[in-house]
């Protein structure tokens, strides 16, 4: 049997990308109907049951619907043990619903600050860069000249 070489090499990394969980700080469901907490927990239960083992779980944008500190605490209470069980690193990226100061203290264990939240992560030789394009108080995004220089 002749082996045929693939057009592209096999991927070397397995990353799980999740976006926009919109968790709330209190017990009420999102928009009165969506139980974001339970859905996120269910997603991790299904990933674990599938046998998939991502190297990193990347959360992008709108992690908390209103940027409340309690929402970030709930998020970590779900994500940290789930990712530990999977053996995956957690990567957080800001969204326009997030609050920079609460994001920093609640997810990154850093002092509160209102500057853009930009980071570089390394996963087994792969560099992942998160850029905060949020504009506090608005829904659009921008990159500053300082961020572009950093990049």
């Amino acid at each position: 049997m002749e082996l045929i070489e693939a057009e592209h090499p096999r991927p070397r990394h397995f990353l799980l990308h999740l976006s926009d969980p919109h968790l709330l700080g209190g017990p009420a469901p999102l928009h009165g109907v969506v139980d974001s907490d339970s859905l996120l927990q269910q997603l991790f239960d299904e990933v674990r049951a599938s046998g998939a083992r991502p190297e990193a779980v990347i959360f992008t944008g709108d992690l908390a619907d209103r940027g409340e500190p309690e929402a970030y605490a709930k998020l970590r209470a779900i994500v940290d043990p789930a990712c530990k069980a999977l053996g995956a690193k957690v990567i957080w990226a800001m969204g326009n619903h997030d609050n920079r100061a609460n994001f920093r203290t609640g997810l990154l264990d850093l002092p509160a600050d209102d500057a853009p939240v930009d980071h570089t992560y390394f996963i087994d030789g792969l560099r992942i860069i998160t850029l905060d394009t949020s504009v506090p108080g608005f829904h659009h995004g921008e990159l500053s000249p300082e961020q572009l220089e950093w990049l």
Side-chain angles (χ1 to χ4, degrees), residues 2 56 62 70 81-82 93 120 126 134 145 150:
E2 180 183 351
D62 300 345
E70 300 83 7
T120 302
L126 176 69
S134 68
W150 174 81

Side-chain angles (χ1 to χ4, degrees), residues 62 95-97 133-142:
D62 300 345
N96 67 315
H97 282 241
T133 62
S134 68
V135 179
F138 296 92
H139 289 288
H140 72 283
E142 296 177 356

